[in-house]
Amino acid sequence: MIEIIELTKKYGKFTALDSLNLQINKGTVFGFVGQNGAGKSTTFSILATLLAPTSGTAFINGYNIQKDTKAVRRQIGYMPDFFGVYDQLKTSEYLHFYGASYGIPYQERQKLIPRLLELVNLSHKKDVYVDLLSRGMKQRLCLARSLIHDPEVLILDEPASGLDPRARVEMREILKELKTMGKTILISSHILPELADMCDSIGIIDHGRLIAQGSVSEIQAMLHQERTIVVKFLGEAKRVISFFEDDPFVSKLTEMEKGSLQFVYRGTEEEQMELLKRAVLQDLQIISFSEEKANLEDVFMEITKGASLS
Amino acid sequence: MKNFTLNPVLNKELTLRFRSFKSYLGILFYLLALGLIIIGFIFIETIAYGQNFFRPSASREMFMFLSALQLGLVLFITPGLTAGVISSEREKQTLNILLTTTQSSTSIIVSKLVSSVAYLMLLIAASLPLYSIVFLFGGISPGQFFITAGFYLFSIITFGTIGVLVSTLIRRTIIAMVTAYSILLFLTGGTTFLTVLLSEISYGYYGGNVSGFFPFPYFTAMLNPFFVLISVLEPSFNDELTQYTGIHFPLWAAFLISYTIIAAASMVISIKKLRPNMQRG
């Protein structure tokens, strides 16, 4: 579990992090979304005991990041947004080095490292020098490195940045696997749709302040109290369009393609149910009536336009 | 990486250092330079006396020359090896990850220093066959040889700690190197100049009577490893300095104390500054 209390970081007059409060429960995957300079990496660096906060504090599994630094380091696996590797080390040696740095005995590492390499799909590269690996492979190796001491909390700063689409998909699959292993994961990304189907909850940070927190749909509801509905139907479009246009809670109705339309609905869930019921009773030949999943990127762009939600 | 009795950072540093071809090239060029200078010394010595053989009595001079030369070379290499140990990790973006492990700051700093010192000791050990040329002609006791070796080790450790300190405090390797070399220059060239200058002032102050008490040349000389090496190999140098300064305390002991303080302070500051103080933002 991660608990952040009034965390503030100032560099002279510039406030990088402004009284951040956050609670992430055990086993949760929390996505941290924000533009460059929003304060994501600063937060992660403080949690990883690499940067001292100006005020406020944080706890990781009950350990204070300022007082119990060694215990915190044992609890976390940290992957920075930018990192280097030791050129002259082989992949397995790289993991051995970090394993030894956490005090894991050699015999134990011998069993552990092949498992980690398998998890990140690098078993075939165990004897290859680290600097010869591709960017995506290095990212995966760094992720394996962050897991070497079996931490309960993972702090992953933009783990998918700079990766090609295939490598992103691979990284996302590994993170899903880690989620099933019950790890508490704090992850940041600019690739917002990547987080949408992976995170239990997201936080939007802007100018050092957390301006929204919740599930993707909660944040969307928070924004507009409105939902985007997609309707697929058979038969004459004119009659269907006319029916929905007559509803006072419907707006921005657009016909997308033949037999499909989309509109924004501002009513309650009960009113939405009634709308669907009436459409069926009117024999409109509805095939499907569904809420479009919130596009996190849209939400992010909307939220970080400047309007504070808190 | 198999050796788990060694500290992991030290183990990794030694692996990386001796896996690099540059390290072996360094040893080769070091020995070539040292060997050529010794052969040159013997050649000049032979010509100077118009003889076709090397005088055994010149062996002691050659040992002193070789010792001073080796000290100069080793001190010149030390900042190059140590002033980048932390800053280069920072530049390569590997330091942050290392600092989030449970390795203590002391362990990281000490391992970095030891790996650099180990390489320098290897250079000195590799030069032993060249020293055997000196022993071939006699004039040097094994005791003097071991004292010289111990003196090298001590100087290397102290200058190594200074290198590690600037590497910890200064983010850029190139600036850390320039700073480390500047400190080295002051502790060798700077103190030589000051010692000579202050001795001249002392001579002038006492109007040619050099038996007065003017301690300042002693304080600068005790920081200079070359003066200390000469005082160890040539005790008459000590007597002369005592005449100038009125201080009877052995120069090597003052050197030992002052350099121990410098090394200890450098280590403590490096260890404290490696990680941020999480209590103060």
Side-chain angles (χ1 to χ4, degrees):
Chain A
M1 178 181 155
I2 303 170
E3 193 181 4
I4 298 172
I5 305 161
E6 292 293 315
L7 202 63
T8 302
K9 180 68 189 176
K10 289 182 179 177
Y11 296 100
K13 286 180 181 172
F14 174 71
T15 304
L17 208 55
D18 191 0
S19 304
L20 181 73
N21 287 292
L22 195 62
Q23 187 159 328
I24 302 165
N25 293 327
K26 192 174 187 300
T28 303
V29 180
F30 188 90
F32 220 40
V33 187
Q35 290 168 319
N36 285 334
K40 303 185 301 291
S41 294
T42 303
T43 309
F44 284 18
S45 294
I46 292 172
L47 293 177
T49 72
L50 291 170
L51 195 63
T54 307
S55 63
T57 193
F59 293 86
I60 291 179
N61 284 344
Y63 295 106
N64 188 300
I65 55 153
Q66 291 167 288
K67 292 173 187 163
D68 313 310
T69 47
K70 199 158 186 176
V72 167
R73 285 178 200 132
R74 220 172 282 127
Q75 298 294 318
I76 61 163
Y78 172 62
M79 183 175 171
D81 49 353
F82 297 104
F83 62 90
V85 289
Y86 299 110
D87 298 348
Q88 305 260 346
L89 283 186
K90 291 174 183 172
T91 302
S92 56
E93 290 174 337
Y94 179 83
L95 292 176
H96 265 290
F97 165 59
Y98 284 104
S101 294
Y102 282 103
I104 302 168
Y106 179 74
Q107 298 298 337
E108 208 175 306
R109 279 183 268 142
Q110 281 286 82
K111 293 176 199 159
L112 182 66
I113 288 167
R115 288 207 300 269
L116 283 173
L117 287 174
E118 198 181 322
L119 177 74
V120 297
N121 302 323
L122 286 175
S123 298
H124 59 298
K125 297 284 182 186
K126 70 180 171 68
D127 293 322
V128 173
Y129 283 101
V130 175
D131 59 326
L132 299 177
L133 297 178
S134 68
R135 173 79 192 258
M137 287 175 180
K138 281 181 190 166
Q139 296 275 87
R140 272 150 45 202
L141 179 65
C142 191
L143 185 61
R145 193 264 321 145
S146 70
L147 292 164
I148 191 105
H149 56 300
D150 194 22
E152 285 192 29
V153 175
L154 286 173
I155 298 170
L156 312 175
D157 198 357
E158 311 239 7
S161 73
L163 300 184
D164 60 46
R166 187 189 172 85
R168 273 185 211 165
V169 171
E170 284 174 347
M171 179 63 81
R172 194 170 56 191
E173 291 306 312
I174 296 166
L175 293 175
K176 279 181 181 169
E177 178 72 24
L178 292 172
K179 183 181 172 180
T180 61
M181 288 161 71
K183 305 278 183 198
T184 306
I185 304 175
L186 180 56
I187 181 171
S188 72
S189 179
H190 283 110
I191 308 150
L192 306 178
E194 295 278 336
L195 293 181
D197 61 341
M198 206 168 59
C199 296
D200 302 312
S201 185
I202 62 161
I204 311 279
I205 189 168
D206 188 40
H207 292 99
R209 293 183 64 214
L210 191 72
I211 57 172
Q213 184 193 345
S215 67
V216 175
S217 52
E218 277 172 354
I219 285 178
Q220 196 190 39
M222 206 188 293
L223 264 176
H224 303 300
Q225 292 295 314
E226 64 185 31
R227 295 176 290 282
T228 302
I229 308 284
V230 176
V231 179
K232 286 186 178 172
F233 57 89
L234 292 173
E236 198 188 342
K238 200 176 168 184
R239 198 167 148 245
V240 179
I241 291 168
S242 164
F243 170 80
F244 285 110
E245 267 181 345
D246 286 347
D247 191 284
F249 297 114
V250 170
S251 62
K252 298 178 189 170
L253 192 145
T254 47
E255 194 175 1
M256 294 160 73
E257 55 193 68
K258 195 173 175 348
S260 172
L261 61 85
Q262 178 184 298
F263 57 82
V264 172
Y265 192 73
R266 292 174 192 274
T268 63
E269 287 190 329
E270 287 74 21
E271 285 160 342
Q272 187 180 321
M273 181 200 71
E274 286 297 327
L275 178 68
L276 175 61
K277 203 169 158 184
R278 277 190 285 122
V280 174
L281 285 173
Q282 295 235 349
D283 200 21
L284 287 181
Q285 294 181 290
I286 305 289
I287 302 168
S288 71
F289 181 96
S290 59
E291 265 183 44
E292 192 184 50
K293 203 172 178 185
N295 183 326
L296 188 53
E297 195 141 24
D298 288 348
V299 174
F300 170 74
M301 292 307 289
E302 190 78 43
I303 281 178
T304 54
K305 243 190 260 178
S308 174
L309 296 174
S310 54
Chain B
M1 290 296 137
K2 201 170 183 174
N3 193 341
F4 51 92
T5 53
L6 270 184
N7 174 286
V9 178
L10 178 59
N11 195 9
K12 186 262 298 174
E13 289 292 317
L14 292 176
T15 305
L16 292 185
R17 192 173 299 280
F18 292 105
R19 204 168 257 179
S20 164
F21 185 63
K22 281 188 284 183
S23 296
Y24 297 99
L25 268 184
I27 296 171
L28 175 71
F29 285 118
Y30 179 79
L31 293 178
L32 273 178
L34 210 57
L36 282 173
I37 291 169
I38 289 173
I39 290 166
F41 182 87
I42 293 171
F43 185 69
I44 290 166
E45 183 71 22
T46 309
I47 287 177
Y49 286 90
Q51 297 160 335
N52 288 328
F53 58 89
F54 182 69
R55 290 179 307 121
S57 57
S59 178
R60 184 176 169 75
E61 287 167 32
M62 189 166 79
F63 176 77
M64 287 175 66
F65 173 74
L66 182 62
S67 298
L69 178 72
Q70 176 123 297
L71 180 66
L73 282 173
V74 162
L75 291 187
F76 180 73
I77 297 167
T78 305
L81 283 177
T82 55
V85 288
I86 300 296
S87 57
S88 67
E89 285 240 15
R90 202 179 277 122
E91 284 175 343
K92 282 195 289 181
Q93 297 176 320
T94 50
L95 186 65
N96 269 0
I97 296 175
L98 185 61
L99 295 183
T100 56
T101 68
T102 49
Q103 282 278 303
S104 68
S105 300
T106 307
S107 158
I108 295 170
I109 292 289
V110 171
S111 300
K112 292 276 186 187
L113 177 68
V114 171
S115 72
S116 303
V117 170
Y119 180 72
L120 288 161
M121 291 314 289
L122 177 69
L123 283 184
I124 292 170
S127 68
L128 282 179
L130 294 172
Y131 268 93
S132 69
I133 297 172
V134 179
F135 283 111
L136 191 70
F137 299 103
I140 293 299
S141 72
Q144 270 179 316
F145 172 76
F146 286 115
I147 288 170
T148 310
F151 176 78
Y152 285 153
L153 178 64
F154 187 69
S155 304
I156 288 168
I157 289 172
T158 306
F159 280 97
T161 58
I162 294 170
V164 173
L165 173 68
V166 295
S167 186
T168 309
L169 296 180
I170 298 169
R171 303 187 77 83
R172 298 290 301 272
T173 300
I174 188 78
I175 299 169
M177 291 251 184
V178 170
T179 309
Y181 276 108
S182 303
I183 295 169
L184 173 75
L185 191 67
F186 172 74
L187 289 173
T188 52
T191 50
T192 303
F193 173 75
L194 284 173
T195 305
V196 172
L197 182 75
L198 291 168
S199 299
E200 289 299 316
I201 291 170
S202 160
Y203 190 78
Y205 184 78
Y206 290 106
N209 175 13
V210 292
S211 59
F213 183 76
F214 191 77
F216 301 109
Y218 183 90
F219 296 134
T220 51
M222 76 180 191
L223 293 173
N224 188 309
F226 290 99
F227 284 150
V228 177
L229 180 69
I230 294 166
S231 79
V232 169
L233 298 175
E234 197 61 63
S236 61
F237 178 82
N238 257 333
D239 302 336
E240 205 174 320
L241 195 70
T242 305
Q243 266 195 328
Y244 269 101
T245 61
I247 297 174
H248 292 272
F249 194 66
L251 195 64
W252 66 264
F255 169 79
L256 211 64
I257 294 166
S258 56
Y259 269 45
T260 302
I261 293 168
I262 291 171
S266 299
M267 286 302 276
V268 170
I269 298 168
S270 300
I271 291 164
K272 289 270 176 211
K273 292 289 178 186
L274 182 65
R275 283 189 165 105
N277 182 350
M278 289 299 285
Q279 308 279 359
R280 270 183 283 156

